[in-house]
C-alpha cells in the first residue's frame, strides 16, 4: 500500500513538472528582462554603486571615466559594460520575494546600482554578485564560482533575473576596486637615465652603453652595479600604487613641496615623454607619490619607498 502511494505521488510530481516545463519558455517576453534602451556606453555618463555603507561613483569626463579624481581601471570598466550589455538577454529566475536574501537582491545585502545620463536616472537595479552577503547573523553567498551568475531586480519588482558574470563583485561599491593603480609605465629599454633629487644631493643613473651604466653627480662619475641598475629600472616598468588618498588629501599634497623628486628620461625616438615623480613623506615611512602630469596622487608603503630612494653608494659597483 505504501509503495502504491509513493508511485501515485511521484506520478503527480512528474505531471506537475511536465506542466511547468510546457508553460515556462525562457524566451517568452514575459520571462526576459527588458532594459532601458538608453542604457549604453554612449549615453550613460554616471554610475553609482551603494552597498553595506560604502558608495562608489563613476563619472565620465571628456569620454574618460573617473572616480574620486582617479582614472577608472579599464579592465574593470570593460567587464562592467560587458555585463550591462547582457541585461536584455537576462532570464527570469524567481518571482518569489522570499528568495531575495539568498540571491543577494535585498536593500540590506544587495548592491544598489543607478545609471544616469545628463543627471537623469535611466536605470536602477539591486544586484547580487557577491560571495558574501550577510543580513544580520544570516550569511548568504549569491555568487558561485561554479554557476557564475549575477542576480538582479528593479527595486519595485519582485522578479529576479540573472546574467552570466565571469567574476564576482562586478558591480562593487568598493572604491579601491575601480581605481587604476598605475603610477607610471616605462619599458626598461626606453629609459636613458634616472635622476634622483634629494634636498642634499642630486645625481643620475645613466645608461652609457649596452648593459653599461654610470652614476654621476655632475662632477664625479662611477661605474654602476649592473644588476642593481637593471632591477631598479624594472620598478618603473609597471609602478603600481599600494594605497589611495581622499580628494581633500590630494588638494593638501598639491600645495606642498615634495621631499624627493625622481625624473625618468626616455630615449630619443621612444615615443614616451619623460616622467617626473614627486614624493611627499606622510608618516612612518609611508609616502604619497604623484606623477607631475596628473592631478591625483597615490600612496606607497615603507618597503617600496626604501627600494625607490637609493643613494649613490647603493648604485655604485663596489667590485671594481
Amino acid at each position: 500500500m505504501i509503495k502504491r502511494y509513493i508511485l501515485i505521488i511521484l506520478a503527480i510530481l512528474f505531471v506537475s513538472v511536465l506542466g511547468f516545463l510546457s508553460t515556462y519558455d525562457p524566451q517568452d517576453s514575459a520571462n526576459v528582462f527588458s532594459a532601458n534602451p538608453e542604457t549604453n556606453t554612449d549615453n550613460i555618463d554616471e554610475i553609482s554603486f551603494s552597498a553595506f555603507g560604502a558608495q562608489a561613483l563613476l563619472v565620465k569626463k571628456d569620454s574618460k571615466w573617473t572616480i574620486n579624481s582617479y582614472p577608472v581601471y579599464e579592465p574593470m570598466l570593460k567587464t562592467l559594460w560587458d555585463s550591462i550589455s547582457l541585461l536584455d538577454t537576462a532570464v527570469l529566475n524567481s518571482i518569489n520575494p522570499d528568495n531575495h536574501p539568498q540571491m543577494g537582491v535585498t536593500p540590506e545585502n544587495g548592491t544598489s546600482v543607478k545609471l544616469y545620463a545628463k543627471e537623469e536616472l535611466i536605470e536602477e537595479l539591486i544586484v547580487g554578485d557577491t560571495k558574501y552577503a550577510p543580513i544580520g547573523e544570516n550569511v548568504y553567498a549569491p555568487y558561485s564560482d561554479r554557476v557564475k551568475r549575477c542576480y538582479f531586480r528593479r527595486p519595485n519588482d519582485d522578479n529576479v533575473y540573472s546574467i552570466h558574470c565571469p567574476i564576482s563583485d562586478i558591480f562593487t561599491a568598493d572604491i579601491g576596486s575601480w581605481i587604476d593603480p598605475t603610477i607610471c609605465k616605462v619599458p626598461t629599454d626606453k629609459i636613458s637615465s634616472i635622476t634622483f633629487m634629494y634636498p642634499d644631493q642630486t645625481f643620475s643613473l645613466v645608461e652609457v652603453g649596452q648593459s653599461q651604466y654610470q652614476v654621476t653627480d655632475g662632477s664625479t662619475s662611477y661605474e654602476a652595479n649592473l644588476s642593481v641598475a637593471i632591477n631598479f629600472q624594472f620598478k618603473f616598468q609597471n609602478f603600481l600604487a599600494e594605497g589611495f588618498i581622499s580628494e581633500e588629501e590630494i588638494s593638501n599634497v598639491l600645495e606642498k613641496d615634495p621631499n624627493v623628486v625622481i625624473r625618468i628620461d626616455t630615449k630619443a625616438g621612444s615615443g614616451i615623454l619623460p616622467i617626473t615623480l614627486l614624493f611627499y613623506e606622510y608618516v612612518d615611512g609611508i609616502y604619497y607619490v604623484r606623477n607631475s602630469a596628473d592631478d591625483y596622487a597615490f600612496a606607497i608603503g615603507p618597503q617600496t619607498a626604501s627600494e625607490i630612494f637609493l643613494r649613490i653608494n647603493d648604485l655604485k659597483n663596489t667590485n671594481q
Side-chain angles (χ1 to χ4, degrees), residues 154-205:
R154 288 193 172 105
N156 297 321
D157 187 354
D158 288 337
N159 291 355
V160 180
Y161 302 82
S162 71
I163 55 174
H164 171 75
C165 287
I167 58 173
S168 64
D169 298 295
I170 291 174
F171 298 84
T172 182
D174 175 46
I175 292 176
S177 297
W178 290 107
I179 296 175
D180 186 340
T182 305
I183 299 173
C184 71
K185 284 187 176 183
V186 190
T188 56
D189 61 346
K190 306 298 182 183
I191 298 174
S192 61
S193 67
I194 299 176
T195 299
F196 303 76
M197 288 170 263
Y198 296 97
D200 62 336
Q201 187 181 41
T202 295
F203 62 91
S204 298
L205 172 67

Side-chain angles (χ1 to χ4, degrees), residues 229-258:
I230 292 176
N231 288 335
F232 184 74
Q233 287 186 331
F234 265 113
K235 294 185 182 301
F236 301 107
Q237 184 159 276
N238 192 24
F239 188 23
L240 302 179
E242 296 168 342
F244 313 102
I245 62 180
S246 68
E247 290 183 279
E248 181 180 352
E249 287 177 299
I250 291 174
S251 298
N252 293 332
V253 166
L254 296 178
E255 296 174 356
K256 299 178 181 178
D257 292 327

Side-chain angles (χ1 to χ4, degrees), residues 90-202:
V91 294
L92 184 64
N93 287 101
S94 172
I95 61 173
N96 187 350
D98 291 340
N99 295 328
H100 289 180
Q102 54 263 41
M103 301 177 94
V105 292
T106 72
E108 293 78 23
N109 74 339
T111 301
S112 173
V113 180
K114 297 179 181 180
L115 298 97
Y116 298 86
K118 298 179 180 178
E119 301 184 354
E120 178 185 352
L121 181 61
I122 300 300
E123 185 65 88
E124 181 177 3
L125 304 170
I126 300 176
V127 180
D129 69 337
T130 66
K131 296 181 179 180
Y132 180 71
I135 299 180
E137 295 182 354
N138 297 318
V139 177
Y140 303 101
Y143 186 86
S144 163
D145 287 324
R146 180 176 61 84
V147 179
K148 296 186 183 298
R149 304 293 291 181
C150 292
Y151 300 97
F152 67 92
R153 69 180 178 92
R154 288 193 172 105
N156 297 321
D157 187 354
D158 288 337
N159 291 355
V160 180
Y161 302 82
S162 71
I163 55 174
H164 171 75
C165 287
I167 58 173
S168 64
D169 298 295
I170 291 174
F171 298 84
T172 182
D174 175 46
I175 292 176
S177 297
W178 290 107
I179 296 175
D180 186 340
T182 305
I183 299 173
C184 71
K185 284 187 176 183
V186 190
T188 56
D189 61 346
K190 306 298 182 183
I191 298 174
S192 61
S193 67
I194 299 176
T195 299
F196 303 76
M197 288 170 263
Y198 296 97
D200 62 336
Q201 187 181 41
T202 295

Side-chain angles (χ1 to χ4, degrees), residues 14-26:
F14 181 70
V15 171
S16 298
V17 169
L18 285 178
F20 173 79
L21 292 175
S22 65
T23 57
Y24 179 76
D25 179 5

Side-chain angles (χ1 to χ4, degrees), residues 44 185 234 260 286:
I44 299 300
K185 284 187 176 183
F234 265 113
V260 182
I286 297 173

Side-chain angles (χ1 to χ4, degrees), residues 1-12:
M1 180 67 71
I2 294 176
K3 183 176 181 181
R4 180 183 176 187
Y5 281 131
I6 292 175
L7 290 173
I8 291 172
I9 291 172
L10 289 174
I12 292 172

Side-chain angles (χ1 to χ4, degrees), residues 83-94:
S83 297
I84 291 176
S85 70
L86 296 177
L87 291 180
D88 273 333
T89 67
V91 294
L92 184 64
N93 287 101
S94 172

